[in-house]
Amino acid sequence: GENVEQHPSTLSVQEGDSAVIKCTYSDSASNYFPWYKQELGKRPQLIIDIRSNVGEKKDQRIAVTLNKTAKHFSLHITETQPEDSAVYFCAASISGYSTLTFGKGTMLLVSP
Amino acid sequence: NAGVTQTPKFRVLKTGQSMTLLCAQDMNHEYMYWYRQDPGMGLRLIHYSVGEGTTAKGEVPDGYNVSRLKKQNFLLGLESAAPSQTSVYFCASSYIFLAGDSDTQYFGPGTRLTVL
């Protein structure tokens, strides 16, 4: 089955800096890659996703890039703010299946 | 429109006791999922359902059973709780999940379960 590795497990940045979280996946058939944000004590919520027919997608301060050849994808947050502090999960889905495989998460801490 | 709801929010069980967690969604979603979340382990899929009357095993199904008798409800049962099942349980649903054109999974608020 699919295996998703996520790094780093924790990331501390100063407000205004950029943050990058990286994920790798094992199955070349995977073609959908969402990112979820989970604030402390809250439910995970989708913040951005990318499909394998595009290499990059942006939404304001958030962007995701995909390298199908290397089987990795990354989340980029620019101009970080304290409210960006949360746990971020990447995930991948395999063609023909109806489930997501999640990475173990990255705790992002943004200091004022 | 409440989205995805879960009951109860918290529960403490003794080893060997049984309980059922209820997930309900009012978005007419076909697909529903149960995950458990443990520190450092991410979200692991327990069971899922692709429609009323159907269920399937996920990554960590042992010790759990599920039922989807109505489209809007997905029940997770623990027949004989064990301390290893102490976790936060999340339910999720999605309208449809087609490979290559997948839809968003919407999560419930979670149930924090402690087994003593």
Side-chain angles (χ1 to χ4, degrees):
Chain A
E2 174 68 286
N3 183 49
V4 176
E5 298 285 340
Q6 184 171 346
H7 299 280
S9 56
T10 60
L11 179 59
S12 294
V13 299
Q14 293 291 317
E15 183 177 0
D17 289 349
S18 295
V20 180
I21 302 170
K22 299 180 179 180
C23 290
T24 61
Y25 60 99
S26 61
D27 196 317
S28 57
S30 289
N31 52 15
Y32 174 63
F33 308 94
W35 286 87
Y36 284 81
K37 175 184 179 182
Q38 185 180 29
E39 297 176 354
L40 187 63
K42 301 292 182 63
R43 71 190 79 188
Q45 291 189 300
L46 179 76
I47 55 172
I48 196 168
D49 58 14
I50 191 167
R51 293 173 172 80
S52 59
N53 56 344
V54 297
E56 183 176 5
K57 183 177 180 180
K58 290 184 179 180
D59 183 4
Q60 299 182 334
R61 296 186 296 108
I62 294 173
V64 57
T65 58
L66 172 65
N67 184 326
K68 289 174 57 179
T69 302
K71 290 190 285 186
H72 68 70
F73 56 112
S74 300
L75 178 71
H76 304 255
I77 305 175
T78 59
E79 301 175 10
T80 54
Q81 302 167 3
E83 51 265 39
D84 293 329
S85 296
V87 178
Y88 292 81
F89 293 98
C90 62
S93 69
I94 302 175
S95 297
Y97 286 78
S98 55
T99 61
L100 290 171
T101 300
F102 284 87
K104 289 184 167 57
T106 296
M107 179 177 289
L108 174 64
L109 301 173
V110 181
S111 303
Chain B
N1 192 336
V4 181
T5 59
Q6 293 182 230
T7 53
K9 289 184 171 57
F10 302 93
R11 185 72 185 267
V12 178
L13 290 179
K14 294 181 180 178
T15 297
Q17 288 184 318
S18 63
M19 77 163 295
T20 300
L21 282 68
L22 170 64
C23 176
Q25 51 93 7
D26 61 2
M27 297 177 282
N28 201 33
H29 284 172
E30 290 291 336
Y31 292 73
M32 298 187 74
Y33 313 82
W34 275 108
Y35 294 91
R36 61 177 290 172
Q37 184 175 34
D38 304 292
M41 296 298 291
L43 293 155
R44 293 184 292 169
L45 184 65
I46 304 171
H47 287 280
Y48 64 102
S49 168
V50 301
E52 182 178 323
T54 73
T55 62
K57 293 180 180 179
E59 180 186 354
V60 288
D62 294 343
Y64 305 94
N65 56 76
V66 289
S67 64
R68 182 98 181 269
L69 299 180
K70 294 182 178 180
K71 184 177 182 179
Q72 63 268 33
N73 295 337
F74 195 27
L75 304 178
L76 177 71
L78 287 73
E79 291 186 349
S80 180
S84 60
Q85 294 178 304
T86 294
S87 187
V88 178
Y89 291 85
F90 285 100
C91 175
S93 69
S94 63
Y95 175 61
I96 195 164
F97 201 94
L98 297 176
D101 189 22
S102 305
D103 206 348
T104 304
Q105 287 193 20
Y106 294 88
F107 283 80
T111 295
R112 185 173 295 276
L113 174 66
T114 301
V115 182
L116 303 175

